[in-house]
Amino acid sequence: MGKVTGFMEIDRQVAKYQPASDRIRHFREFTIPMSDPEVQKQAARCMDCGIPYCHGPTGCPVHNQIPDWNDLVYNGNWEEAIRNLHSTNNFPEFTGRVCPAPCEEACTLNLEDAPVSIKTVEQAIADKAYEMGYIVPQPATVKTGKKVAVIGSGPAGMAAAQQLARAGHEVHLYERESKAGGLLRYGIPDFKMEKNFIDRRVDQMRGEGVTFHYGVNVGVDKPMAEMLAEHDAVLYCGGSETPRDAGIPGVEFAGVHDAMPYLVQQNRRVGRENIDSVGWPSDPILAGGKHIVVVGGGDTASDCVGTAFRQGAVKVTQLDIRPQPPEKEDKLAVWPFWATKMRTSSSQAEGAVREFQVGTLEFVGDEDGVLTGVKCCQVDDRRKPIAGTEFIIKADLAFIAIGFRGPFTNSVLKDLGDQLAINTDKRGSSNVIANERDYKTSVDKLWTAGDVRRGQSLVVWAIREGRQAARAIDEALMGATTLPR
């Protein structure tokens, strides 16, 4: 794969960022693209490792054929590279930007801390394909006469809709918001992925016959009974949007918010949309000139950090209840799996103060009910407070970013009621039950995929589930299918 001796001759390089002092002044993407020859050199580093863990079950959820398209890029065959990439991934320009790249963790060269720059190459292939005009609608040549509805236009819904349309079905995609993309559009900040990439895919899908219905909150505006009666199959891809309950006293103070309303608002501002949104609070939340505390250590928390800096926050502190991880993992103990080690996101690198092994005891406010601080303490290895370690961090705004427990319950789930089997675990999750073979729910003619089924996860997992659910639906409707699994 690639150049036989490339991994010995060429050093690992990834795309550079604009300096933090420049990028916090805008909400645009700040990655500086590499030139085509630079990308080809990085693709050339892909070695003939024998067993490519990068696209196995430990690496890429959609099983991208990474060594193959690395070789194609190295040889300058960009058109065949995007064709190969599209065979497993409908939206490589999404994953090339926002995926944490478990494939690079699983790369054999990661044993030497110098994995192939797979994510950089993937994004470059997709961007080059658009530049060269290789990405065009691929409408079905034969129509099946079957009508399928997809509820939710996040990555799972979009991937499923595209696959089903290409199989020849009449596909209707229903979206609660005014534009497609789900949390790709309204949750992930523009500085990580600009939304014109979603718009281009929507245009392609329209050319393939997908009909988009915006501003339709299925289960509220349109009953599920109607949906099931009007379509031969319905796929529910509602995502996981209900915040997990933090159980922290003082959440009622003005200035304490869940993370998603904050991120959704700012994305709507950037997209020149009204900040009022179905299911989210509409009072403006702005961090300019304020001290910010973010509770949580994941991607959503990091997105809050980056957004706050761009809005002009004075100081941003991020609280993580987990111990500070080691700077370097023990490769022989964890490779090729995702390792727990110190990782610093681009947003955290913009100046966040990170506190590890710190628990949030309560939010503190004044007599007018306005947040003034966050009371914290150090915790032991079992996350129990250590007496005498309490301290207060000044805060004008606090964001809770500790995850999600399932889909909104006031639409599809409420409308179907007891008909739909829901998985409830000790953490209070409410995911729809369906297996990974056929994605069929307990309701006749209803399938489900993505975060609404598996719980909060990565964009690449949503794409995988959408593709697999589309195959299952096509097979159920037609008795056989040519769609890939």
Side-chain angles (χ1 to χ4, degrees):
M1 295 297 119
K3 186 179 182 183
V4 175
T5 56
F7 71 97
M8 295 187 291
E9 300 169 4
I10 303 166
D11 291 334
R12 169 181 162 90
Q13 298 289 333
V14 294
K16 301 292 191 296
Y17 293 158
Q18 291 177 2
S21 58
D22 293 338
R23 67 182 188 246
I24 63 170
R25 300 175 186 273
H26 61 78
F27 281 89
R28 300 184 301 278
E29 289 184 15
F30 50 78
T31 302
I32 302 170
M34 297 170 68
S35 67
D36 290 354
E38 289 174 321
V39 174
Q40 288 177 279
K41 285 176 67 176
Q42 292 307 303
R45 296 185 65 246
C46 188
M47 63 188 295
D48 187 5
C49 59
I51 300 176
Y53 285 94
C54 59
H55 67 77
T58 56
C60 181
V62 293
H63 301 294
N64 281 337
Q65 299 172 84
I66 295 162
D68 298 68
W69 43 255
N70 272 327
D71 185 60
L72 290 164
V73 168
Y74 168 60
N75 287 293
N77 193 343
W78 295 90
E79 186 172 10
E80 185 60 31
I82 189 62
R83 188 177 296 117
N84 185 299
L85 186 46
H86 273 153
S87 71
T88 56
N89 184 355
N90 295 65
F91 313 121
E93 67 275 27
F94 299 171
T95 51
R97 285 171 165 81
V98 302
C99 186
C103 52
E104 294 189 17
E105 292 284 308
C107 177
T108 301
L109 289 175
N110 191 38
L111 287 167
E112 296 292 329
D113 290 314
V116 176
S117 307
I118 300 168
K119 181 177 175 179
T120 298
V121 176
E122 179 180 25
Q123 179 182 334
I125 293 172
D127 291 349
K128 182 74 171 179
Y130 271 111
E131 177 190 328
M132 299 300 292
Y134 298 148
I135 299 179
V136 295
Q138 300 175 36
T141 54
V142 178
K143 298 296 184 181
T144 65
K146 301 292 185 180
K147 187 176 179 182
V148 182
V150 179
I151 303 170
S153 66
M158 286 182 67
Q162 184 165 61
Q163 293 294 94
L164 288 164
R166 289 175 176 178
H169 304 302
E170 179 186 338
V171 180
H172 294 263
L173 186 49
Y174 291 84
E175 171 54 49
R176 181 189 68 212
E177 299 287 352
S178 56
K179 293 181 180 179
L183 292 190
L184 266 176
R185 182 182 295 274
Y186 294 106
I188 294 175
D190 283 66
F191 56 79
K192 288 176 69 173
M193 191 186 85
E194 293 178 12
K195 310 315 175 194
N196 61 296
F197 299 106
I198 303 173
D199 297 334
R200 292 195 301 197
R201 285 296 180 181
V202 169
D203 290 341
Q204 181 194 32
M205 291 168 66
R206 281 202 178 103
E208 293 168 346
V210 177
T211 302
F212 288 81
H213 302 268
Y214 296 125
V216 181
N217 192 2
V218 176
V220 177
D221 306 325
K222 188 175 179 67
M224 278 299 296
E226 236 177 73
M227 292 286 291
L228 293 165
E230 294 174 359
H231 301 87
D232 297 292
V234 177
L235 176 62
Y236 178 32
C237 299
S240 182
E241 298 178 284
T242 301
R244 202 172 292 284
D245 185 10
I248 303 171
V251 292
E252 71 278 3
F253 286 121
V256 180
H257 303 275
D258 287 312
M260 285 314 303
Y262 176 57
L263 296 175
V264 169
Q265 272 194 18
Q266 184 54 41
N267 278 14
R268 294 178 79 88
R269 286 190 193 96
V270 174
R272 303 194 177 194
E273 294 186 61
N274 192 304
I275 65 170
D276 293 338
S277 179
V278 179
W280 306 108
S282 57
D283 292 335
I285 311 169
L286 295 166
K290 297 177 180 178
H291 289 74
I292 311 299
V293 172
V294 181
V295 180
D299 290 336
T300 302
S302 188
D303 291 344
C304 288
V305 170
T307 300
F309 278 129
R310 283 159 180 75
Q311 289 184 347
V314 173
K315 182 179 180 181
V316 181
T317 304
Q318 185 177 356
L319 308 180
D320 195 331
I321 200 169
R322 299 169 297 184
Q324 182 167 337
E327 290 291 333
K328 183 173 167 48
E329 75 275 32
D330 180 353
K331 298 288 187 185
L332 296 182
V334 298
W335 182 87
F337 299 98
W338 185 262
T340 298
K341 63 181 178 181
M342 190 65 175
R343 302 175 190 270
T344 301
S345 71
S346 59
S347 294
Q348 291 163 339
E350 290 162 2
V353 177
R354 301 173 72 184
E355 299 279 0
F356 289 95
Q357 211 157 352
V358 167
T360 306
L361 296 177
E362 65 175 309
F363 298 109
V364 181
D366 60 22
E367 58 187 17
D368 296 323
V370 178
L371 178 74
T372 58
V374 180
K375 186 177 181 181
C376 310
C377 70
Q378 294 177 10
V379 298
D380 60 23
D381 291 340
R382 298 197 305 169
R383 301 187 178 183
K384 301 297 182 183
I386 299 174
T389 64
E390 296 85 358
F391 60 98
I392 292 179
I393 301 174
K394 180 180 178 180
D396 304 302
L397 275 179
F399 299 115
I400 303 171
I402 59 171
F404 306 89
R405 61 182 176 85
F408 282 148
T409 57
N410 59 356
S411 54
V412 173
L413 269 62
K414 183 178 180 181
D415 192 25
L416 287 173
D418 295 338
Q419 298 179 63
L420 191 60
I422 304 296
N423 176 40
T424 56
D425 61 24
K426 62 183 179 182
R427 299 187 68 193
S429 295
S430 56
N431 303 323
V432 178
I433 294 177
N435 63 52
E436 290 187 64
R437 294 185 305 278
D438 60 16
Y439 293 87
K440 190 82 172 61
T441 72
S442 55
V443 177
D444 187 40
K445 295 169 62 175
L446 181 65
W447 284 257
T448 189
D451 286 5
V452 72
R453 189 200 71 85
R454 71 179 290 116
Q456 64 178 84
S457 190
L458 304 175
V459 169
V460 67
W461 274 106
I463 293 172
R464 169 191 168 128
E465 294 216 349
R467 288 170 60 88
Q468 292 186 339
R471 175 188 168 90
I473 290 170
D474 186 42
E475 188 171 32
L477 294 179
M478 307 304 296
T481 181
T482 57
L483 291 177
R485 180 167 169 80

